[in-house]
Amino acid sequence: MAALSPDAILLTGRVAVVTGAARGIGRAIAEAFEAFGAQVAVCDRDKPRRDRDQPRRDRTDQGKGGALAMTLDVRDPVAVEVFARAVAERWGRVDVLVNNAGGTFHAPFADVSAKGERTLIEENFTQVTGMIRSMLPLMGAGASIINVTSSEAHQAAPGFAVYAAMKAALESLTRSLALELAPRGIRVNAIAPDALPTEGESGVRESMPAGEFDPVRVPPLGRLGDPGDAAGAAVFLAGDLARFVTGATVHVDGGIHAAGGWRRV
């Protein structure tokens, strides 16, 4: 294999798919991929701000760098297949798939209804397996799958038990697929973010009752990060700098995972 050069950080000419890209970490990743030269296809059930007056569902849009944008629910298998066909028609391949879409709500485990549990499972796990199955036929040697999990995949999460279980399942899936897809030259890794404030994360925190368990707000680095920090890890995992990295989880959390129960006083 050729020696690395400074250009190895670039994603020029690669086709990248990012789910849940209307805001937060997904949007930051999509914008970073474009900045590093990729052709980007994004989807989200929320319309990007520039699209709010446009028809819903199967709309496609050519934007910066020939980007493709579709408004859909990733839990809908039919909509996902339509999205995959649109990507195939536009570029004929996928070089990077980032499964970022997901969500949760705060509730004691005993108060989560069967419907609520199904929603959490579909939103954080089964939609990922469905998206991977839809995109795999378009992926070849050198491709990269990046699953966005959470610190909750690696620690207890009272009030978010089912969500944390699904993120742990996704982390396990990442390692299993890394082995299954290795013969095809496809790498599979995960990013586990924490302490990166976003609109969605802030809303969940505000719903948590006072006096409940609360995760550490300030990580060992002494400051919060932002969605761009997760985007930096995604750029690394998507490109040739990580060409020998598979089955790994990058913790983008300012040291929270490493600290375990330790916290600065």
Side-chain angles (χ1 to χ4, degrees):
M1 187 171 286
L4 289 174
S5 71
D7 289 341
I9 195 172
L10 297 177
L11 303 175
T12 306
R14 302 191 190 202
V15 176
V17 173
V18 183
T19 70
R23 61 181 182 173
I25 289 173
R27 180 173 179 174
I29 290 173
E31 290 176 348
F33 281 177
E34 285 189 334
F36 280 80
Q39 303 290 308
V40 181
V42 300
C43 67
D44 200 297
R45 63 186 174 192
D46 294 330
K47 296 181 182 180
R49 289 181 175 84
R50 67 180 186 275
D51 303 333
R52 285 179 177 168
D53 296 328
Q54 297 297 323
R56 190 172 172 82
R57 198 60 171 168
D58 60 351
R59 193 189 65 74
T60 60
D61 173 50
Q62 290 201 26
K64 182 181 177 182
L68 172 72
M70 296 184 69
T71 304
L72 58 91
D73 189 332
V74 291
R75 296 172 297 179
D76 182 345
V78 175
V80 169
E81 286 301 324
V82 170
F83 181 48
R85 285 199 299 271
V87 173
E89 291 170 3
R90 177 74 66 85
W91 294 290
R93 73 181 197 281
V94 171
D95 301 303
V96 184
L97 169 60
V98 179
N99 291 301
N100 169 73
T104 190
F105 55 85
H106 179 271
F109 174 77
D111 293 343
V112 178
S113 66
K115 180 180 179 181
E117 181 170 302
R118 285 195 301 273
T119 297
L120 289 167
I121 293 170
E122 291 172 0
E123 192 163 359
N124 295 289
F125 186 73
T126 54
Q127 61 89 2
V128 175
T129 61
M131 185 66 68
I132 292 173
R133 288 192 187 96
S134 293
M135 296 297 171
L136 264 180
L138 301 175
M139 306 183 82
S144 172
I145 297 173
I146 303 168
N147 295 321
V148 179
T149 61
S150 170
S151 281
E152 279 68 47
H154 305 271
Q155 64 187 23
F160 301 95
V162 178
Y163 168 79
M166 291 305 98
K167 289 300 188 181
L170 184 54
E171 197 274 338
S172 177
L173 179 74
T174 297
R175 287 183 279 113
S176 294
L177 292 186
L179 299 189
E180 283 198 24
L181 299 179
R184 295 174 53 176
I186 299 173
R187 297 180 296 107
V188 189
N189 294 289
I191 296 171
D194 201 351
L196 308 180
T198 64
E199 297 173 40
E201 187 262 355
S202 296
V204 172
R205 278 190 181 275
E206 290 170 2
S207 71
M208 296 173 65
E212 292 283 342
F213 288 101
D214 190 22
V216 177
R217 290 181 179 271
V218 181
L221 279 181
R223 60 176 177 82
L224 299 177
D226 64 58
D229 296 314
V235 170
F236 164 69
L237 291 173
D240 289 342
L241 289 179
R243 66 191 184 188
F244 203 55
V245 179
T246 195
T249 294
V250 178
H251 293 270
V252 186
D253 62 4
I256 289 175
H257 176 69
W262 292 89
R263 56 192 297 178
R264 190 178 300 277
V265 178

